[in-house]
Amino acid sequence: AQTVTQSQPEMSVQEAETVTLSCTYDTSESDYYLFWYKQPPSRQMILVIRQEAYKQQNATENRFSVNFQKAAKSFSLKISDSQLGDAAMYFCARSLYTGTASKLTFGTGTRLQVTL
Amino acid sequence: DTAVSQTPKYLVTQMGNDKSIKCEQNLGHDTMYWYKQDSKKFLKIMFSYNNKELIINETVPNRFSPKSPDKAHLNLHINSLELGDSAVYFCASSLLRGPLHFGNGTRLTVT
């Protein structure tokens, strides 16, 4: 089975500190994308960052960056200068393409708490 | 201005009933999806349509029937609702190699 694994059910970080959320995935495909989505209590699914598998350079979006290790099939998310608004469930996801659709497989999520 | 909108936000119904959830996107995307998020927050794809054509049909009971009247709309009809159908259902859309844009979800509660 081609799975996505998030081994940290919960993480906690102090405001202004840095936290890293782990994700590993399994795939035999060479053409795929990786994503981190955030789901706050409002339950909206918000795209945080994405990484194309063919790109070696790690993606960065403001305070969010990834460490993409393709050989190890690892895709961790680093949040710098954590803010109270970062508190949410974070889902790692891997997409595969079926020609005309993208099949996104999600991990089980990591609940991030941000403390004062 | 809402990119992917789904209605209703909440749906409470009794076992055995039939219900529908509607979804519309104004992003001009060709592909739309239905995902189910269970009580443990696990998200799983149910269906995907590209320009009204069914592309992905995961192992979903045939009580669930998606319908896409045009590429901007993808509705989900559920027959003979069961307790286990209680979940949050997300509609999403995307360009082929783009990220999915999700609606705000419909929380379905079957009593």
Side-chain angles (χ1 to χ4, degrees):
Chain A
Q2 301 202 19
T3 58
V4 178
T5 301
Q6 294 179 250
S7 58
Q8 306 152 317
E10 289 191 8
M11 292 284 284
S12 183
V13 63
Q14 282 193 319
E15 201 177 16
E17 297 296 309
T18 296
V19 65
T20 299
L21 308 185
S22 301
C23 174
T24 57
Y25 61 93
D26 184 22
T27 183
S28 55
E29 304 290 331
S30 59
D31 182 17
Y32 58 93
Y33 282 46
L34 297 162
F35 303 90
W36 280 97
Y37 279 86
K38 168 185 177 181
Q39 187 177 41
S42 65
R43 83 167 178 244
Q44 187 180 5
M45 292 290 289
I46 302 166
L47 176 68
V48 175
I49 200 166
R50 72 167 171 170
Q51 174 80 42
E52 294 91 335
Y54 64 85
K55 287 189 177 178
Q56 290 188 335
Q57 187 172 4
N58 289 326
T60 300
E61 286 286 343
N62 301 316
R63 297 182 296 107
F64 299 87
S65 61
V66 299
N67 183 3
F68 174 45
Q69 301 289 326
K70 190 170 183 179
K73 295 190 171 70
S74 169
F75 182 61
S76 60
L77 174 69
K78 185 170 88 169
I79 307 174
S80 303
D81 186 25
S82 296
Q83 300 175 359
L84 293 177
D86 294 334
M89 281 287 286
Y90 286 81
F91 293 96
C92 177
R94 181 216 66 229
S95 68
L96 295 175
Y97 300 100
T98 63
T100 50
S102 170
K103 183 174 175 179
L104 215 59
T105 299
F106 285 88
T108 50
T110 296
R111 184 176 299 281
L112 179 65
Q113 288 185 315
V114 181
T115 58
L116 293 171
Chain B
D1 286 320
T2 304
V4 181
S5 60
Q6 53 182 109
T7 55
K9 288 181 68 172
Y10 299 95
L11 191 49
V12 181
T13 188
Q14 290 185 326
M15 282 175 57
N17 285 348
D18 303 338
K19 290 293 178 185
S20 292
I21 306 171
K22 295 186 175 182
C23 179
E24 175 182 5
Q25 55 95 5
N26 63 5
L27 296 167
H29 291 163
D30 287 329
T31 308
M32 296 186 73
Y33 310 81
W34 280 108
Y35 277 79
K36 178 181 179 180
Q37 186 174 42
D38 64 22
S39 58
K40 296 183 178 177
K41 301 288 189 183
F42 186 63
L43 279 147
K44 193 171 192 304
I45 190 169
M46 300 173 70
F47 303 103
S48 173
Y49 270 74
N50 177 269
N51 202 13
K52 302 192 295 176
E53 180 185 353
L54 180 64
I55 302 299
I56 296 173
N57 184 353
E58 291 292 289
T59 309
V60 177
N62 54 17
R63 298 182 295 103
F64 290 78
S65 53
K67 285 186 172 51
S68 182
D70 56 61
K71 74 174 192 177
H73 296 84
L74 179 62
N75 304 322
L76 183 65
H77 188 76
I78 316 169
N79 290 327
S80 304
L81 277 155
E82 300 178 355
L83 293 177
D85 297 332
S86 295
V88 178
Y89 292 85
F90 284 96
C91 177
S93 72
S94 76
L95 295 172
L96 176 58
R97 291 185 175 274
L100 268 62
H101 295 255
F102 286 86
N104 288 337
T106 296
R107 180 177 293 280
L108 172 65
T109 303
V110 182
T111 62

PDB file of all heavy atoms in Angstrom, chain A residues 16-39:
ATOM      1  N   ALA A  16       6.888  31.885  19.218  1.00  0.00           N
ATOM      2  CA  ALA A  16       8.163  32.425  18.729  1.00  0.00           C
ATOM      3  C   ALA A  16       9.243  31.356  18.545  1.00  0.00           C
ATOM      4  O   ALA A  16      10.301  31.665  17.977  1.00  0.00           O
ATOM      5  CB  ALA A  16       8.695  33.544  19.615  1.00  0.00           C
ATOM      6  N   GLU A  17       8.988  30.137  18.996  1.00  0.00           N
ATOM      7  CA  GLU A  17       9.971  29.071  18.809  1.00  0.00           C
ATOM      8  C   GLU A  17       9.736  28.355  17.479  1.00  0.00           C
ATOM      9  O   GLU A  17       8.782  28.643  16.741  1.00  0.00           O
ATOM     10  CB  GLU A  17       9.898  28.077  19.970  1.00  0.00           C
ATOM     11  CG  GLU A  17      10.247  28.680  21.322  1.00  0.00           C
ATOM     12  CD  GLU A  17      11.691  29.144  21.384  1.00  0.00           C
ATOM     13  OE1 GLU A  17      12.587  28.364  21.039  1.00  0.00           O
ATOM     14  OE2 GLU A  17      11.917  30.317  21.767  1.00  0.00           O
ATOM     15  N   THR A  18      10.617  27.394  17.209  1.00  0.00           N
ATOM     16  CA  THR A  18      10.557  26.623  15.962  1.00  0.00           C
ATOM     17  C   THR A  18      10.151  25.186  16.258  1.00  0.00           C
ATOM     18  O   THR A  18      10.569  24.616  17.273  1.00  0.00           O
ATOM     19  CB  THR A  18      11.932  26.647  15.260  1.00  0.00           C
ATOM     20  OG1 THR A  18      12.230  27.991  14.884  1.00  0.00           O
ATOM     21  CG2 THR A  18      11.938  25.763  14.023  1.00  0.00           C
ATOM     22  N   VAL A  19       9.345  24.626  15.377  1.00  0.00           N
ATOM     23  CA  VAL A  19       8.906  23.245  15.546  1.00  0.00           C
ATOM     24  C   VAL A  19       8.984  22.537  14.194  1.00  0.00           C
ATOM     25  O   VAL A  19       8.795  23.174  13.139  1.00  0.00           O
ATOM     26  CB  VAL A  19       7.474  23.192  16.116  1.00  0.00           C
ATOM     27  CG1 VAL A  19       6.463  23.772  15.137  1.00  0.00           C
ATOM     28  CG2 VAL A  19       7.093  21.779  16.516  1.00  0.00           C
ATOM     29  N   THR A  20       9.279  21.253  14.242  1.00  0.00           N
ATOM     30  CA  THR A  20       9.353  20.448  13.012  1.00  0.00           C
ATOM     31  C   THR A  20       8.387  19.279  13.108  1.00  0.00           C
ATOM     32  O   THR A  20       8.428  18.516  14.075  1.00  0.00           O
ATOM     33  CB  THR A  20      10.782  19.935  12.773  1.00  0.00           C
ATOM     34  OG1 THR A  20      11.660  21.059  12.613  1.00  0.00           O
ATOM     35  CG2 THR A  20      10.845  19.084  11.511  1.00  0.00           C
ATOM     36  N   LEU A  21       7.548  19.159  12.098  1.00  0.00           N
ATOM     37  CA  LEU A  21       6.581  18.057  12.022  1.00  0.00           C
ATOM     38  C   LEU A  21       7.090  17.042  11.001  1.00  0.00           C
ATOM     39  O   LEU A  21       7.488  17.419   9.901  1.00  0.00           O
ATOM     40  CB  LEU A  21       5.198  18.576  11.603  1.00  0.00           C
ATOM     41  CG  LEU A  21       4.632  19.746  12.411  1.00  0.00           C
ATOM     42  CD1 LEU A  21       3.218  20.073  11.951  1.00  0.00           C
ATOM     43  CD2 LEU A  21       4.664  19.466  13.898  1.00  0.00           C
ATOM     44  N   SER A  22       7.034  15.780  11.368  1.00  0.00           N
ATOM     45  CA  SER A  22       7.622  14.733  10.524  1.00  0.00           C
ATOM     46  C   SER A  22       6.582  14.081   9.613  1.00  0.00           C
ATOM     47  O   SER A  22       5.402  13.988   9.964  1.00  0.00           O
ATOM     48  CB  SER A  22       8.235  13.642  11.402  1.00  0.00           C
ATOM     49  OG  SER A  22       9.232  14.190  12.230  1.00  0.00           O
ATOM     50  N   CYS A  23       7.075  13.623   8.473  1.00  0.00           N
ATOM     51  CA  CYS A  23       6.218  12.902   7.532  1.00  0.00           C
ATOM     52  C   CYS A  23       7.094  12.000   6.688  1.00  0.00           C
ATOM     53  O   CYS A  23       8.142  12.423   6.180  1.00  0.00           O
ATOM     54  CB  CYS A  23       5.460  13.886   6.642  1.00  0.00           C
ATOM     55  SG  CYS A  23       4.489  13.105   5.319  1.00  0.00           S
ATOM     56  N   THR A  24       6.693  10.756   6.554  1.00  0.00           N
ATOM     57  CA  THR A  24       7.337   9.869   5.591  1.00  0.00           C
ATOM     58  C   THR A  24       6.256   9.297   4.686  1.00  0.00           C
ATOM     59  O   THR A  24       5.084   9.226   5.063  1.00  0.00           O
ATOM     60  CB  THR A  24       8.100   8.719   6.275  1.00  0.00           C
ATOM     61  OG1 THR A  24       7.191   7.981   7.101  1.00  0.00           O
ATOM     62  CG2 THR A  24       9.241   9.243   7.117  1.00  0.00           C
ATOM     63  N   TYR A  25       6.640   8.901   3.514  1.00  0.00           N
ATOM     64  CA  TYR A  25       5.663   8.414   2.551  1.00  0.00           C
ATOM     65  C   TYR A  25       6.264   7.257   1.788  1.00  0.00           C
ATOM     66  O   TYR A  25       7.467   7.028   1.788  1.00  0.00           O
ATOM     67  CB  TYR A  25       5.235   9.546   1.609  1.00  0.00           C
ATOM     68  CG  TYR A  25       6.374  10.110   0.800  1.00  0.00           C
ATOM     69  CD1 TYR A  25       6.662   9.620  -0.469  1.00  0.00           C
ATOM     70  CD2 TYR A  25       7.182  11.120   1.312  1.00  0.00           C
ATOM     71  CE1 TYR A  25       7.716  10.118  -1.200  1.00  0.00           C
ATOM     72  CE2 TYR A  25       8.245  11.624   0.585  1.00  0.00           C
ATOM     73  CZ  TYR A  25       8.512  11.124  -0.667  1.00  0.00           C
ATOM     74  OH  TYR A  25       9.568  11.617  -1.394  1.00  0.00           O
ATOM     75  N   ASP A  26       5.391   6.555   1.139  1.00  0.00           N
ATOM     76  CA  ASP A  26       5.803   5.407   0.358  1.00  0.00           C
ATOM     77  C   ASP A  26       5.220   5.557  -1.039  1.00  0.00           C
ATOM     78  O   ASP A  26       4.025   5.837  -1.183  1.00  0.00           O
ATOM     79  CB  ASP A  26       5.279   4.122   1.016  1.00  0.00           C
ATOM     80  CG  ASP A  26       5.751   2.892   0.293  1.00  0.00           C
ATOM     81  OD1 ASP A  26       6.767   2.976  -0.426  1.00  0.00           O
ATOM     82  OD2 ASP A  26       5.113   1.841   0.437  1.00  0.00           O
ATOM     83  N   THR A  27       6.046   5.414  -2.053  1.00  0.00           N
ATOM     84  CA  THR A  27       5.547   5.410  -3.414  1.00  0.00           C
ATOM     85  C   THR A  27       6.570   4.766  -4.325  1.00  0.00           C
ATOM     86  O   THR A  27       7.773   4.848  -4.088  1.00  0.00           O
ATOM     87  CB  THR A  27       5.239   6.838  -3.908  1.00  0.00           C
ATOM     88  OG1 THR A  27       4.678   6.765  -5.221  1.00  0.00           O
ATOM     89  CG2 THR A  27       6.490   7.704  -3.951  1.00  0.00           C
ATOM     90  N   SER A  28       6.078   4.136  -5.363  1.00  0.00           N
ATOM     91  CA  SER A  28       6.960   3.571  -6.381  1.00  0.00           C
ATOM     92  C   SER A  28       6.982   4.455  -7.625  1.00  0.00           C
ATOM     93  O   SER A  28       7.676   4.160  -8.595  1.00  0.00           O
ATOM     94  CB  SER A  28       6.496   2.160  -6.745  1.00  0.00           C
ATOM     95  OG  SER A  28       5.140   2.188  -7.142  1.00  0.00           O
ATOM     96  N   GLU A  29       6.206   5.553  -7.572  1.00  0.00           N
ATOM     97  CA  GLU A  29       6.130   6.470  -8.703  1.00  0.00           C
ATOM     98  C   GLU A  29       7.271   7.483  -8.635  1.00  0.00           C
ATOM     99  O   GLU A  29       7.841   7.726  -7.565  1.00  0.00           O
ATOM    100  CB  GLU A  29       4.790   7.226  -8.676  1.00  0.00           C
ATOM    101  CG  GLU A  29       3.575   6.322  -8.661  1.00  0.00           C
ATOM    102  CD  GLU A  29       3.371   5.590  -9.955  1.00  0.00           C
ATOM    103  OE1 GLU A  29       3.780   6.124 -11.014  1.00  0.00           O
ATOM    104  OE2 GLU A  29       2.808   4.489  -9.940  1.00  0.00           O
ATOM    105  N   SER A  30       7.597   8.068  -9.774  1.00  0.00           N
ATOM    106  CA  SER A  30       8.610   9.112  -9.796  1.00  0.00           C
ATOM    107  C   SER A  30       7.987  10.489  -9.940  1.00  0.00           C
ATOM    108  O   SER A  30       8.633  11.494  -9.657  1.00  0.00           O
ATOM    109  CB  SER A  30       9.596   8.866 -10.949  1.00  0.00           C
ATOM    110  OG  SER A  30       8.900   8.852 -12.181  1.00  0.00           O
ATOM    111  N   ASP A  31       6.741  10.525 -10.374  1.00  0.00           N
ATOM    112  CA  ASP A  31       6.063  11.791 -10.633  1.00  0.00           C
ATOM    113  C   ASP A  31       4.995  12.018  -9.567  1.00  0.00           C
ATOM    114  O   ASP A  31       3.919  11.416  -9.614  1.00  0.00           O
ATOM    115  CB  ASP A  31       5.415  11.754 -12.023  1.00  0.00           C
ATOM    116  CG  ASP A  31       4.735  13.070 -12.358  1.00  0.00           C
ATOM    117  OD1 ASP A  31       5.023  14.086 -11.697  1.00  0.00           O
ATOM    118  OD2 ASP A  31       3.902  13.080 -13.279  1.00  0.00           O
ATOM    119  N   TYR A  32       5.312  12.840  -8.602  1.00  0.00           N
ATOM    120  CA  TYR A  32       4.345  13.105  -7.544  1.00  0.00           C
ATOM    121  C   TYR A  32       4.663  14.443  -6.903  1.00  0.00           C
ATOM    122  O   TYR A  32       5.740  15.007  -7.100  1.00  0.00           O
ATOM    123  CB  TYR A  32       4.343  11.981  -6.490  1.00  0.00           C
ATOM    124  CG  TYR A  32       5.678  11.727  -5.831  1.00  0.00           C
ATOM    125  CD1 TYR A  32       6.015  12.360  -4.640  1.00  0.00           C
ATOM    126  CD2 TYR A  32       6.606  10.838  -6.397  1.00  0.00           C
ATOM    127  CE1 TYR A  32       7.239  12.126  -4.033  1.00  0.00           C
ATOM    128  CE2 TYR A  32       7.826  10.607  -5.796  1.00  0.00           C
ATOM    129  CZ  TYR A  32       8.147  11.241  -4.615  1.00  0.00           C
ATOM    130  OH  TYR A  32       9.360  11.010  -4.024  1.00  0.00           O
ATOM    131  N   TYR A  33       3.703  14.948  -6.179  1.00  0.00           N
ATOM    132  CA  TYR A  33       3.856  16.170  -5.404  1.00  0.00           C
ATOM    133  C   TYR A  33       3.604  15.839  -3.939  1.00  0.00           C
ATOM    134  O   TYR A  33       2.911  14.873  -3.609  1.00  0.00           O
ATOM    135  CB  TYR A  33       2.832  17.232  -5.828  1.00  0.00           C
ATOM    136  CG  TYR A  33       3.139  17.972  -7.115  1.00  0.00           C
ATOM    137  CD1 TYR A  33       3.543  17.302  -8.266  1.00  0.00           C
ATOM    138  CD2 TYR A  33       2.988  19.352  -7.188  1.00  0.00           C
ATOM    139  CE1 TYR A  33       3.798  17.991  -9.439  1.00  0.00           C
ATOM    140  CE2 TYR A  33       3.230  20.044  -8.355  1.00  0.00           C
ATOM    141  CZ  TYR A  33       3.639  19.352  -9.483  1.00  0.00           C
ATOM    142  OH  TYR A  33       3.896  20.045 -10.647  1.00  0.00           O
ATOM    143  N   LEU A  34       4.138  16.670  -3.084  1.00  0.00           N
ATOM    144  CA  LEU A  34       3.907  16.536  -1.644  1.00  0.00           C
ATOM    145  C   LEU A  34       3.346  17.849  -1.119  1.00  0.00           C
ATOM    146  O   LEU A  34       3.720  18.929  -1.593  1.00  0.00           O
ATOM    147  CB  LEU A  34       5.218  16.203  -0.926  1.00  0.00           C
ATOM    148  CG  LEU A  34       5.837  14.865  -1.322  1.00  0.00           C
ATOM    149  CD1 LEU A  34       7.294  14.825  -0.924  1.00  0.00           C
ATOM    150  CD2 LEU A  34       5.068  13.714  -0.685  1.00  0.00           C
ATOM    151  N   PHE A  35       2.471  17.738  -0.139  1.00  0.00           N
ATOM    152  CA  PHE A  35       1.801  18.910   0.401  1.00  0.00           C
ATOM    153  C   PHE A  35       1.736  18.845   1.922  1.00  0.00           C
ATOM    154  O   PHE A  35       1.717  17.764   2.516  1.00  0.00           O
ATOM    155  CB  PHE A  35       0.345  18.991  -0.101  1.00  0.00           C
ATOM    156  CG  PHE A  35       0.198  19.023  -1.592  1.00  0.00           C
ATOM    157  CD1 PHE A  35       0.068  17.849  -2.312  1.00  0.00           C
ATOM    158  CD2 PHE A  35       0.164  20.226  -2.278  1.00  0.00           C
ATOM    159  CE1 PHE A  35      -0.080  17.861  -3.693  1.00  0.00           C
ATOM    160  CE2 PHE A  35       0.013  20.255  -3.660  1.00  0.00           C
ATOM    161  CZ  PHE A  35      -0.100  19.077  -4.357  1.00  0.00           C
ATOM    162  N   TRP A  36       1.661  19.996   2.536  1.00  0.00           N
ATOM    163  CA  TRP A  36       1.226  20.129   3.910  1.00  0.00           C
ATOM    164  C   TRP A  36      -0.022  21.001   3.913  1.00  0.00           C
ATOM    165  O   TRP A  36      -0.029  22.091   3.337  1.00  0.00           O
ATOM    166  CB  TRP A  36       2.301  20.783   4.785  1.00  0.00           C
ATOM    167  CG  TRP A  36       3.369  19.835   5.214  1.00  0.00           C
ATOM    168  CD1 TRP A  36       4.592  19.634   4.644  1.00  0.00           C
ATOM    169  CD2 TRP A  36       3.307  18.948   6.343  1.00  0.00           C
ATOM    170  NE1 TRP A  36       5.294  18.671   5.328  1.00  0.00           N
ATOM    171  CE2 TRP A  36       4.541  18.239   6.384  1.00  0.00           C
ATOM    172  CE3 TRP A  36       2.356  18.683   7.327  1.00  0.00           C
ATOM    173  CZ2 TRP A  36       4.828  17.289   7.353  1.00  0.00           C
ATOM    174  CZ3 TRP A  36       2.643  17.746   8.300  1.00  0.00           C
ATOM    175  CH2 TRP A  36       3.866  17.060   8.305  1.00  0.00           C
ATOM    176  N   TYR A  37      -1.060  20.467   4.568  1.00  0.00           N
ATOM    177  CA  TYR A  37      -2.290  21.210   4.753  1.00  0.00           C
ATOM    178  C   TYR A  37      -2.489  21.455   6.244  1.00  0.00           C
ATOM    179  O   TYR A  37      -2.126  20.627   7.088  1.00  0.00           O
ATOM    180  CB  TYR A  37      -3.497  20.433   4.219  1.00  0.00           C
ATOM    181  CG  TYR A  37      -3.701  20.524   2.728  1.00  0.00           C
ATOM    182  CD1 TYR A  37      -3.045  19.640   1.870  1.00  0.00           C
ATOM    183  CD2 TYR A  37      -4.535  21.485   2.174  1.00  0.00           C
ATOM    184  CE1 TYR A  37      -3.235  19.727   0.491  1.00  0.00           C
ATOM    185  CE2 TYR A  37      -4.738  21.568   0.803  1.00  0.00           C
ATOM    186  CZ  TYR A  37      -4.083  20.694  -0.028  1.00  0.00           C
ATOM    187  OH  TYR A  37      -4.269  20.767  -1.395  1.00  0.00           O
ATOM    188  N   LYS A  38      -3.116  22.574   6.545  1.00  0.00           N
ATOM    189  CA  LYS A  38      -3.442  22.950   7.919  1.00  0.00           C
ATOM    190  C   LYS A  38      -4.950  22.936   8.081  1.00  0.00           C
ATOM    191  O   LYS A  38      -5.684  23.425   7.200  1.00  0.00           O
ATOM    192  CB  LYS A  38      -2.893  24.363   8.167  1.00  0.00           C
ATOM    193  CG  LYS A  38      -3.351  25.058   9.423  1.00  0.00           C
ATOM    194  CD  LYS A  38      -2.818  26.486   9.442  1.00  0.00           C
ATOM    195  CE  LYS A  38      -3.314  27.255  10.643  1.00  0.00           C
ATOM    196  NZ  LYS A  38      -2.809  28.658  10.642  1.00  0.00           N
ATOM    197  N   GLN A  39      -5.419  22.354   9.189  1.00  0.00           N
ATOM    198  CA  GLN A  39      -6.850  22.363   9.469  1.00  0.00           C
ATOM    199  C   GLN A  39      -7.082  22.935  10.865  1.00  0.00           C
ATOM    200  O   GLN A  39      -6.930  22.247  11.871  1.00  0.00           O
ATOM    201  CB  GLN A  39      -7.459  20.954   9.366  1.00  0.00           C
ATOM    202  CG  GLN A  39      -8.979  20.960   9.490  1.00  0.00           C
ATOM    203  CD  GLN A  39      -9.598  19.580   9.328  1.00  0.00           C
ATOM    204  OE1 GLN A  39      -9.078  18.584   9.833  1.00  0.00           O
ATOM    205  NE2 GLN A  39     -10.735  19.518   8.630  1.00  0.00           N
TER     206      GLN A  39
END
